[in-house]
Amino acid sequence: MAKGLQGFLWTMLLLFCTIQELGSWAMHTAVEGPGLGEPGDPALLAGGRVKRGWVWNQFFVVEEYTGTEPLYVGKIHSDSDEGDGSIKYTISGEGAGTIFLIDEITGDIHATERLDREQKTFYTLRAQARDRQTDQLLEPESEFIIKVQDINDSEPRFLEGPYIGSVAELSPVGTSVMQVMASDADDPTYGSSARVVYSVLEGEQHFTVDSKTGVIRTAVADLDRETQDRYEVVIRATDMAGQLGGLSGSTTVTIVVTDVNDNPPRFPQKMYQFSIVETAPVGTAIGRVKAEDSDVGENTDMTYQVKDEEGVEMFKVTTDSNTQEAVITVQKPLDYESKKVHTVVVEALNKFVDPRFVDLGTFRDQTIVRVSVLDVDEPPEFRPPSNLMEVQEDAHVGSVVGVVTALDPDTANHPVRYAIDRSTDAERIFDIDAKTGAIVTGKVLDRETAGWHNITVLAMEADNHSQVSRASLRIRILDVNDNPPELATPYEAAVCEDAKPGQLIQTISVVDRDEPQSGHRFYFTLAPEATNNHHFSLLDIQDNTAAVHTQRVGFNRQEQDVYLLPILVVDSGPPALSSTGTLTIRVCGCDSNGAIQSCNSTAYVVSATLSPGALIALLVCVLILVVLVLLILTLKRHHKSHLTSEDDEDMRDNVIKYNDEGGGEQDTEAYDMSALRSLYDFSEIKAGDGGGGPGEGGPGRNPASELHALPQWVQSPDLDFSVFRDYICRKVEQADEDLSVPPYDSFQTYAFEGSDSPVPSLSSINTWSSGSEQDFSYLGGWGPRFRQLAALYAGRRGEEDSEES
């Protein structure tokens, strides 16, 4: 059938081309239109005469030609062509010479390749007519178009797949699910090749599709997600408006049925059984139950509750949000001896109910949970659980404070023994009878020391001490009147010498360590030893205070400056206790306004002199001044002795302790120079014995100048230096033999300072010339450390020069 259709199409195409060719010949004399020449072209002659030009119609070529011969497209022809072959036809542009070929003589155009309109819909070319001999253009070049004629060779395609849609279960018929759309690459303006219609190939029992729009809709109203939650629907798109011979394409649409809350929760069992020991603490989980729900997502969210009164009192049900389980926990302590089995009714209901499906039934379910209580060996229980006892503070040792009672709750009812946790009663103030539980005092009580005692009582089974119960017991010590009242403070009052009778001197109050239940009430009176007192009176104000007033006119502190007034204070008991306190009253001198100035004769003397603080400060200042004066005098004396030692300093080498390092040129006290002076008598050395240089040591020279011409060393022929020579030689040998240790100071150190030293040696050991031969002015350039040495030598050099002159 396809081959017959193809033959029919080629027949129609050839017929069309024939009609086109005939139309081309019929228009040889037509007036030039668009594409045949441009306005203002030189080919347009004056006088309105139209130059003869191209004659042809628009060309068409059918796509997908499969013939073996080139496909004839059309013919271009110039009306100046007389058929003698003198005109050569050529084309240029898109596909010229490759896709499209032209016969140079006849102007026939053929397509040599198979064309596809979906890839290119038309080709733009230019035609030329040239003289074959001169290759000159005979006609203006003109543009023409070859359009590719469409055939129905492209099937519809679903380009946006895969398609996935959703629809809620139980949706009414005609509910829109989604829209699919197919595209056809054929020319929508030519024929019906691109006109697409839709239909359902598979799944038409549940869904339909609009043939024009591609909208998929439900075909039934009883879609049930719990039965089938996914449908695969095949949609077909056919071109040619669905007519015979049209091409088609298909796609698979996945439609997911979403859930609605149309199923109530259901317990898989009507009864559950759990067991738990009676000693389980409150909050212990007994077990879990779960109601099943065929829905998914939030439609399965549910809550649980206890419906019966007994269960509500003893147990609590919560919902685990992760697993949607009912967690049953203990809400009150369990007792095997009281009740061995508890029955609890648990109800499950959906949290979110869809009102559209209320008519489907109640969305809740119930089940029965049986809880069996297991018996265990329990410790004794205190009954009644009172934790407060009272005892008088004057109770004798061994007095009974109270009795605690504990019973074994088990069926066996074992005997109970009692004890006190000594960590709460380390002083053993209380004891307890191990069998009866009677608590007695173990020591004398004192409420003023400790008014409350908190102890822990232990109750245990007589034959199993591991079963222990503890009870906290508070014991309050009741007060008895065993402390007399006392004056609040050691009161001291003052009265002016010119006081008048009835003048208030002091208001006194008292304290009492006891705390009677009815409150304190104190009574004041003068002590019996003050009955002969005519100076002061005491008034009880009836509010636990009393006032002291003067009873005479004026006081003389020269006669008596202090009065001691004994006051008797009595409490209300029982029994009534009393004590005597003393009020000290001083007689003072006051000004005209009654302000106290001084209270005894000593005060006048002290006020006329300095206060003790001022005297101490004055003494400290005097001591500081004395210390400063002594310090200044000591510093001056030290400085003077220092200058004297510098004047007496004799600059010469110290050979006796040459191996000790001194403090430099400023250290003038490191060595005792008298040791050297004692060896030689320099006053006996004559000027001529110095062996000075020529012209330096005349016979008329002053011996005193020899002593000050330093540094120098004049050897006497009568002196024996072998001892020093041997000692120095031994030191030099020791230094030469031990190369790893720096040598001590030796003769080498003093005799030679290096060949590169710009400063000559100052040592006088090898100096045989007199002081007049040496110039020590270079010492001034050695810096501040040698300033004192430079001044010393420069001064002595000046003295020598003056003596010579």
Side-chain angles (χ1 to χ4, degrees), residues 31-50:
V31 179
E32 178 178 305
L36 302 179
E38 298 296 335
D41 193 271
L44 298 179
L45 303 179
R49 184 172 65 85
V50 180

Side-chain angles (χ1 to χ4, degrees), residues 604-675:
Y604 290 103
V605 177
V606 173
S607 61
T609 60
L610 294 176
S611 64
L615 290 175
I616 292 173
L618 183 60
L619 291 176
V620 170
C621 292
V622 171
L623 288 176
I624 292 174
L625 290 175
V626 171
V627 170
L628 289 176
V629 170
L630 292 176
L631 181 61
I632 292 172
L633 292 176
T634 303
L635 292 175
K636 285 185 175 181
R637 184 176 181 182
H638 177 71
H639 183 64
K640 183 177 180 181
S641 62
H642 181 66
L643 294 177
T644 305
S645 63
E646 289 182 354
D647 295 338
D648 297 340
E649 181 182 8
D650 191 2
M651 299 300 297
R652 60 181 69 244
D653 295 318
N654 189 345
V655 185
I656 294 178
K657 294 184 179 180
Y658 72 95
N659 59 340
D660 289 341
E661 294 185 2
E665 68 275 11
Q666 296 179 356
D667 189 358
T668 61
E669 299 179 356
Y671 308 104
D672 186 8
M673 304 303 292
S674 62

Side-chain angles (χ1 to χ4, degrees), residues 536-550:
F536 306 97
S537 63
L538 179 66
L539 176 62
D540 191 342
I541 307 178
Q542 305 296 323
D543 61 351
N544 293 335
T545 61
V548 178
H549 298 82
T550 57

Side-chain angles (χ1 to χ4, degrees), residues 125 260 312 345 410 428 598:
L125 296 95
V260 296
V312 170
V345 178
D410 298 325
R428 295 184 174 270
S598 61

Side-chain angles (χ1 to χ4, degrees), residues 115-165:
L115 304 180
D116 187 0
R117 191 203 66 83
E118 286 72 31
Q119 293 183 359
K120 191 170 181 63
T121 57
F122 64 90
Y123 295 85
T124 302
L125 296 95
R126 292 176 296 278
Q128 302 95 22
R130 298 178 179 272
D131 186 277
R132 186 175 297 275
Q133 299 297 329
T134 63
D135 202 33
Q136 294 282 337
L137 279 175
L138 300 178
E139 299 287 347
E141 183 180 79
S142 185
E143 187 176 87
F144 65 97
I145 296 175
I146 299 178
K147 287 189 175 182
V148 181
Q149 190 71 41
D150 182 48
I151 64 173
N152 189 21
D153 61 339
S154 299
E155 70 278 3
R157 295 178 181 271
F158 293 91
L159 302 179
E160 298 179 0
Y163 293 94
I164 299 177

Side-chain angles (χ1 to χ4, degrees), residues 171-251:
S171 296
V173 176
T175 301
S176 175
V177 179
M178 65 179 303
Q179 183 181 20
V180 296
M181 186 172 293
S183 61
D184 196 319
D186 293 326
D187 189 358
T189 63
Y190 181 76
S192 301
S193 299
R195 291 182 58 189
V196 179
V197 294
Y198 302 93
S199 60
V200 179
L201 283 182
E202 296 180 11
E204 64 273 8
Q205 298 89 351
H206 301 93
F207 300 95
T208 62
V209 64
D210 189 292
S211 61
K212 294 182 179 180
T213 62
V215 176
I216 301 174
R217 302 179 183 274
T218 57
V220 294
D222 58 350
L223 292 176
D224 187 10
R225 188 202 64 81
E226 290 73 29
T227 302
Q228 184 175 354
D229 62 349
R230 186 182 298 266
Y231 293 89
E232 303 290 340
V233 181
V234 179
I235 304 296
R236 180 174 63 185
T238 307
D239 59 10
M240 298 294 293
Q243 298 178 3
L244 185 65
L247 302 179
S248 65
S250 62
T251 186

